Every structure is written in structure tokens, then in C-alpha cells.
Amino acid sequence: MHQSPTSGAYYKEFQAVMAADRLVISPDTPGYGGSDAPTSIPTMEDYGRAVADGLENLGFGSGGKGPIDILGFHTGNFVAMEIARQRPGLVRRMVMPGIPYYPADEREAKRVQYAQPRPYFTDPDYMARSYMSGVYNRDAGVSKERHLEMFVERLRAGTKSHYGFDAVFRYDPEPILRGLKQPVLLPILNETLAEPTRNAGQMIENKTFVDLMDLDGWAWFTAPERIAAVVRPFLDEA
């Protein structure tokens, strides 16, 4: 499950590595990538329900192909948590690097900061600045072509690209984190949500921390084998 405002294409390199020995699906949540956009601002419960319905329609779950293992990053972790909460029999194991956990007294300020419509029609320089920072001046060991692909994916969400952020910061994750029963792997990457992930992990009953602080948030693109090397054994334990 991808972060906002990207799409399942974010995981292309990691998906290819993991798919060597299992089926790997990287869905677009509603309004992102190639999925239909919601007609109103969704809640995290809405996102979780939509993806869970899609997975069950594909035949996963106790009545069909069996449960899934699920991995999220940033927004994707809350979507994953909602799937596990709503359909506990659908989820077997969880991998949750980059959990966007903030205490209740900080969430509204974060929502005001991040969950705003992008100024496509009010700031004529916005697109140029975004392109310069996101593609032209970007390196991080990732090809310009790949940066351009993700730049386009962000644009595909259009005027509703902030919906995912709104859902994240209106969501109260604490009771969900405390209620998770599935085994959870918590890789800690050297990125903005490293400390929030550690804090969130303290509330999870059955968790395993893995320190990957020598990898930054671009590791999904530049070092997918390193992430897979800790994810695959965890998923294969049962």
C-alpha cells in the first residue's frame, strides 16, 4: 500500500524483487494512480474498506485463496491497519515501515500543513517549482526517468491529491495499533517517520523492530534487495 499522493507504481523495483517467489499486488487507493476518484473526501475507514473489497473480489480471504500479507509505507500503513481492523481474517502478517503516527494534540496542525489542495490554478509557478525539486534537481541515486514517472503519478490525483493526507491526520490510530493481533515487522528507515514508527510500535502487541537506518526513504528504488532481505524471512516464518 503506497503513500500519498503516489500510486502502486512507487513499489516497482521492490515489487519485482519480492515477486520472485510470491504474488505481489500494488493497488492504487481510490483517487490515486489509475483508480477512480472519490466524490467526497474519504476517511481512512473508506480507504480500508475499498481496498479490502477489492482484495476479496479478487478471491482472497478465508473463503477463497486465503489471507494476504500486507506492507504499507506512510499513508499505506494506515490503509493496511484499517484492512486488518475491518477484515482481520483477510490479513496474516503485516510489514509497517514509516508509520505516520503523531499524538492527538499534533494531528490537526499536521492536517492543516499537509492536507491542502495544491495551488494548480492560483500559483503559476507551482508546477515549475515542483518539477525542479522533484525531477530536474533530484538525484538520490534514482534515474531522472524514474523521478519523472513518479512526478506524473503525483499529478494524476489532480485537485484531490490532498485527500489521503486529510484522512491520515483525521484518523486516530492508537486503538487500532493496540488492537492489532497479527505479527508485525517494523523496519526503521532513515526518513522522516523513523521516530513516529518507533513510537507507534510501542503500542503493537506482537511486533519485531529491524534497524535499517543506513537506508533512507529512497531505498524502495535504490536498495529493494536490502528491504526484501528482512521482509521475506519474516513473511516466510509461518
Side-chain angles (χ1 to χ4, degrees):
M1 301 308 307
H2 61 83
Q3 62 179 329
S4 303
T6 62
S7 71
Y10 187 84
Y11 291 114
K12 183 185 293 185
E13 292 83 359
F14 179 72
Q15 182 178 18
V17 173
M18 290 297 295
D21 60 355
R22 69 201 67 215
L23 175 66
V24 184
I25 301 171
S26 298
D28 299 336
T29 52
Y32 296 101
S35 70
D36 292 338
T39 56
S40 59
I41 299 179
T43 63
M44 195 55 67
E45 291 82 357
D46 294 329
Y47 283 124
R49 187 178 305 108
V51 177
D53 286 347
L55 290 167
E56 289 184 343
N57 288 337
L58 288 171
F60 297 101
S62 58
K65 303 174 185 177
I68 62 165
D69 299 320
I70 190 164
L71 176 147
F73 190 54
H74 292 212
T75 304
N77 276 316
F78 282 0
V79 177
M81 285 164 49
E82 264 305 298
I83 295 170
R85 182 188 72 83
Q86 295 178 24
R87 319 279 171 91
L90 182 58
V91 180
R92 190 186 72 121
R93 289 187 161 230
M94 304 180 71
V95 182
M96 299 173 61
I99 301 173
Y101 168 71
Y102 293 94
D105 60 354
E106 297 180 26
R107 288 199 289 269
E108 178 58 19
K110 294 286 185 183
R111 191 189 70 81
V112 171
Q113 180 180 359
Y114 292 108
Q116 303 300 323
R118 304 305 183 249
Y120 292 125
F121 309 120
T122 57
D123 183 351
D125 299 320
Y126 173 72
M127 287 299 298
R129 291 197 309 273
S130 297
Y131 179 82
M132 291 297 290
S133 64
V135 181
Y136 192 80
N137 291 328
R138 182 72 73 177
D139 182 9
V142 181
S143 71
K144 296 292 187 185
E145 290 79 10
R146 191 71 167 102
H147 281 304
L148 179 61
E149 180 182 7
M150 296 316 302
F151 178 75
V152 171
E153 287 300 291
R154 292 182 179 92
L155 287 179
R156 292 179 76 185
T159 59
K160 300 179 178 181
S161 65
H162 62 292
Y163 280 10
F165 296 97
D166 189 87
V168 163
F169 294 114
R170 289 188 187 275
Y171 188 59
D172 180 6
E174 294 187 12
I176 318 304
L177 289 163
R178 297 184 191 281
L180 288 175
K181 300 304 181 186
Q182 294 86 351
V184 179
L185 180 69
L186 296 165
I188 308 296
L189 300 172
N190 187 11
E191 51 100 24
T192 56
L193 294 182
E195 192 61 27
T197 303
R198 291 190 183 95
N199 294 336
Q202 302 306 318
M203 301 179 222
I204 299 173
E205 178 182 350
N206 187 0
K207 81 274 190 170
T208 302
F209 287 102
V210 177
D211 189 326
L212 293 179
M213 288 294 286
D214 61 318
L215 300 179
D216 61 20
W218 291 104
W220 304 103
F221 299 76
T222 60
E225 297 87 356
R226 288 283 312 282
I227 303 177
V230 300
V231 172
R232 181 176 278 111
F234 172 77
L235 299 183
D236 288 348
E237 285 179 17

